[in-house]
Amino acid sequence: GAVVSQHPSRVICKSGTSVKIECRSLDFQATTMFWYRQFPKQSLMLMATSNEGSKATYEQGVEKDKFLINHASLTLSTLTVTSAHPEDSSFYICSARRPGLAYEQYFGPGTRLTVT
Amino acid sequence: GQQLNQSPQSMFIQEGEDVSMNCTSSSIFNTWLWYKQDPGEGPVLLIALYKAGELTSNGRLTAQFGITRKDSFLNISASIPSDVGIYFCAGPSGSSNYKLTFGKGTLLTVNP
């Protein structure tokens, strides 16, 4: 299989605080992981590509200082939402690309972030 | 970037009916992926297609890679209530790093 986990599944934080979300590939090594954001009833919006051992690549319009990504190992990528504001409330989903399977991405279960 | 048009936006069907949805791209693709997303969950990969004309099945699901390489179809036969969810097509975004671009999704509702 290709199992990807995310933690936490839900988090509520106060405005101005930072929140870290972890994404782990459980049964394969992922040199590339992706972070998406999804608003209600909308499609997935790619935020950034996380490369193991190098800096993440951010999509246009995504603030890299606000959404810090670290991919320190072949099985773990983290997304930290810094100084969160209510407009950062969303569903954040990570995915991992399985080496050798070209474009196939396997998604985590998502993290529901609510900023009060 | 690549544009994907997915249709229909939503479907309401009776249990037991067959379903068909499709996706078209503005440019030629070498890969088509179909995902299903349940409410509050991450998308799950259903079928991956890599060759024009390819027809691949996964249980009651069948997907085809269009001959023109600009479209793909997903069919669900004999639908059941647990087929409810949002179905997304996806293909290469045209950039490096194997990024994907997603369609806007087809919301499927199955009435028991």
Side-chain angles (χ1 to χ4, degrees):
Chain A
V3 182
V4 177
S5 71
Q6 251 181 272
H7 178 80
S9 57
R10 287 180 172 274
V11 58
I12 300 172
C13 70
K14 292 194 180 210
S15 193
T17 61
S18 295
V19 173
K20 181 188 281 189
I21 303 170
E22 293 187 347
C23 178
R24 293 180 188 273
S25 56
L26 298 184
D27 55 355
F28 65 99
Q29 293 183 327
T31 53
T32 308
M33 289 183 170
F34 303 87
W35 286 95
Y36 294 83
R37 185 172 179 177
Q38 187 177 35
F39 292 104
K41 301 190 185 218
Q42 293 193 20
S43 189
L44 292 85
M45 183 188 80
L46 180 65
M47 298 174 66
T49 303
S50 168
N51 300 297
E52 188 268 335
S54 63
K55 288 185 182 178
T57 307
Y58 290 81
E59 295 300 300
Q60 194 170 7
V62 178
E63 299 175 59
K64 62 180 182 182
D65 293 331
K66 180 163 187 65
F67 298 100
L68 299 178
I69 291 172
N70 183 275
H71 192 157
S73 79
L74 285 171
T75 59
L76 173 64
S77 175
T78 60
L79 168 69
T80 301
V81 183
T82 62
S83 186
H85 290 287
E87 56 265 31
D88 298 325
S89 298
S90 191
F91 192 52
Y92 293 88
I93 319 174
C94 72
S95 71
R97 186 179 80 85
R98 194 163 185 172
L101 290 181
Y103 287 92
E104 292 179 26
Q105 290 181 23
Y106 295 87
F107 286 83
T111 296
R112 172 73 58 193
L113 170 64
T114 303
V115 184
T116 60
Chain B
Q2 312 289 15
Q3 302 273 339
L4 287 187
N5 290 314
Q6 190 171 348
S7 66
Q9 271 191 319
S10 61
M11 302 181 77
F12 297 84
I13 62 171
Q14 292 297 125
E15 183 177 358
E17 289 182 357
D18 297 344
V19 171
S20 186
M21 58 192 79
N22 71 82
C23 214
T24 59
S25 67
S26 55
S27 55
I28 289 174
F29 276 6
N30 58 19
T31 300
W32 281 100
L33 304 172
W34 284 94
Y35 288 88
K36 182 195 178 201
Q37 185 177 28
D38 290 331
E41 297 288 330
V44 173
L45 181 63
L46 299 173
I47 294 177
L49 302 162
Y50 290 101
K51 258 171 38 173
E54 180 182 354
L55 190 71
T56 298
S57 292
N58 177 3
R60 292 177 296 104
L61 278 61
T62 302
Q64 182 161 27
F65 194 141
I67 290 290
T68 65
R69 294 173 64 190
K70 289 189 174 184
D71 58 4
S72 180
F73 304 86
L74 176 69
N75 296 313
I76 306 173
S77 63
S79 58
I80 59 178
S82 61
D83 290 333
V84 164
I86 304 177
Y87 292 80
F88 290 103
C89 61
S93 72
S95 64
S96 61
N97 254 334
Y98 296 101
K99 293 194 292 187
L100 292 175
T101 187
F102 285 81
K104 293 190 175 179
T106 294
L107 173 62
L108 178 64
T109 303
V110 180
N111 295 316

